[in-house]
């Protein structure tokens, strides 16, 4: 509305004004969480028939030693060929909106997903982490765009569980015991080198941890050992539980986790 009012005022006074369109950046408070968005979402991209890919990460909003640190669920959508950023959504109780503001600014200058990793953003333990969530999205997105990292969304996990796909939970045993996918095999990152014989090379293998970072580490090592059918479950167990809990409640369906994380 402010931009439109500025254009109208300029027109009244004979000042040329060009409307370059709108990204639709917005933010709202939802109970204790902040929800923010910019640009296109997956539903709109699907309707437009556009080829796209995504990053879904769940980093902390600040350094873990700081009081009140909270996770941020951040998804960035980008063109599947050029990497141009098409939209982003984020939710969390922490510092969510500033990450969307950064991405909105990058989009205004036609940034590609790889550009996000090079942004120099203000850092102090009270306000962020050394690699900001926006930077992390750039690193992960670059790997996805180049084909170095293969991934599946949390929306596909139920089908994998029901098809009895080979899913590895790379979290530690105590984490696995506190909540797990029903048919996931627990092979912690700290033990997997001694359990390589338990991981098949002749079928697709899907890995998850709490948020996606440890499973990524294991995937890169497995790739170096000749495993080329390994996929990261983007968003990890936290992302799976957030999606599945909502769908389970709304559709009254049987859970695929023994306890939501």
């Amino acid at each position: 509305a402010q931009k439109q009012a500025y254009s109208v005022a300029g027109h009244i006074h004979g000042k040329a004004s060009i409307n370059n369109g709108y990204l639709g950046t917005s933010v709202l408070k939802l109970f204790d969480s902040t929800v923010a968005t910019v640009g296109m979402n997956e539903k709109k991209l699907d309707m437009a028939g556009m080829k796209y890919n995504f990053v879904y990460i769940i980093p902390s909003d600040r350094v873990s030693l700081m009081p009140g640190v909270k996770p941020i669920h951040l998804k960035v959508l980008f063109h599947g060929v050029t990497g141009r950023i098409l939209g982003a959504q984020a939710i969390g109780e922490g510092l969510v909106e500033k990450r969307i503001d950064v991405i909105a600014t990058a989009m205004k200058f036609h940034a590609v997903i790889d550009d996000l990793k090079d942004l120099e953003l203000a850092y102090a333990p009270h306000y962020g982490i050394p690699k900001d969530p926006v930077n992390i999205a750039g690193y992960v997105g670059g790997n996805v765009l180049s084909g170095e990292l293969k991934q599946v969304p949390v929306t596909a996990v139920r089908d994998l569980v029901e098809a009895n796909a080979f899913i590895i939970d790379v979290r530690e045993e105590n984490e696995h015991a506190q909540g797990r996918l029903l048919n996931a095999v627990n092979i912690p990152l700290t033990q997997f080198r001694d359990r390589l014989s338990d991981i098949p090379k002749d079928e697709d293998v899907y890995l998850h941890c709490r948020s996606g970072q440890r499973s990524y580490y294991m995937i890169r090592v497995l790739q170096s050992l000749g495993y080329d059918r390994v996929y990261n479950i983007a968003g990890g167990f936290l992302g799976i539980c957030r999606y599945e809990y909502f769908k389970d409640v709304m559709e009254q369906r049987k859970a695929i986790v023994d306890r939501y994380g």
Side-chain angles (χ1 to χ4, degrees):
Q2 294 293 331
K3 291 174 68 175
Q4 291 173 328
Y6 180 83
S7 296
V8 170
H11 180 74
I12 291 172
H13 290 278
K15 182 179 179 181
S17 178
I18 299 175
N19 186 336
N20 292 312
Y22 304 96
L23 296 175
T25 310
S26 59
V27 62
L28 62 86
K29 191 73 173 175
L30 181 64
F31 301 106
D32 293 330
S33 296
T34 298
V35 182
T37 182
V38 61
M40 304 281 275
N41 57 32
E42 289 183 272
K43 183 176 181 179
K44 291 179 179 178
L45 290 171
D46 288 336
M47 290 176 62
M50 187 173 293
K51 181 180 176 64
Y52 69 93
N53 215 319
F54 73 96
V55 171
Y56 178 21
I57 57 173
I58 312 177
S60 299
D61 67 332
R62 283 167 285 190
V63 173
S64 58
L65 59 84
M66 300 304 299
V69 61
K70 300 292 184 181
I72 294 175
H73 291 250
L74 174 63
K75 178 180 286 186
V76 183
L77 306 167
F78 55 93
H79 193 278
V81 177
T82 67
R84 181 170 174 176
I85 302 169
L86 303 172
Q89 300 85 43
I91 183 172
E93 296 180 30
L95 304 174
V96 168
E97 68 287 343
K98 80 170 188 175
R99 273 74 191 206
I100 293 298
D101 283 341
V102 169
I103 295 172
T105 303
M107 289 177 64
K108 197 65 179 177
F109 294 98
H110 312 297
V112 297
I113 188 67
D114 214 38
D115 290 329
L116 298 184
K117 76 178 191 303
D118 296 322
L119 296 179
E120 295 187 35
L121 304 175
Y123 163 70
H126 296 81
Y127 304 106
I129 54 180
K131 281 191 180 72
D132 191 85
V134 174
N135 297 134
I136 296 172
Y139 283 107
V140 176
N143 289 334
V144 171
L145 187 64
S146 69
E148 294 178 52
L149 175 64
K150 294 182 287 187
Q151 61 178 0
V152 295
V154 294
T155 54
V157 173
R158 175 169 287 270
D159 288 340
L160 295 177
V161 171
E162 293 175 349
N164 201 32
F166 197 93
I167 301 173
I168 299 176
D169 180 351
V170 313
R171 297 175 299 161
E172 294 302 312
E173 293 173 351
N174 64 312
E175 296 176 271
H176 182 78
Q178 293 171 8
R180 62 181 180 84
L181 281 171
L182 295 183
N183 68 339
V185 179
N186 186 210
I187 304 179
L189 178 64
T190 54
Q191 302 177 18
F192 86 98
R193 291 180 183 274
D194 298 323
R195 297 182 59 183
L196 287 174
S197 60
D198 295 335
I199 305 175
K201 280 188 175 182
D202 58 352
E203 65 177 286
D204 293 338
V205 177
Y206 303 89
L207 293 83
H208 80 82
C209 58
R210 178 178 179 271
S211 62
Q213 186 170 10
R214 284 174 287 176
S215 53
Y216 168 74
Y217 293 154
M218 186 184 289
I219 282 174
R220 295 314 296 261
V221 176
L222 289 173
Q223 288 173 330
S224 72
L225 296 173
Y227 289 81
D228 58 4
R229 298 178 63 177
V230 285
Y231 297 81
N232 199 30
I233 298 177
F237 193 67
L238 287 179
I240 293 168
C241 288
R242 178 176 284 265
Y243 175 77
E244 284 294 322
Y245 177 76
F246 174 78
K247 296 289 285 186
D248 291 349
V249 170
M250 295 300 294
E251 299 178 12
Q252 294 295 300
R253 64 186 190 181
K254 185 178 180 180
I256 59 171
V257 297
D258 67 347
R259 190 182 309 167
Y260 299 105

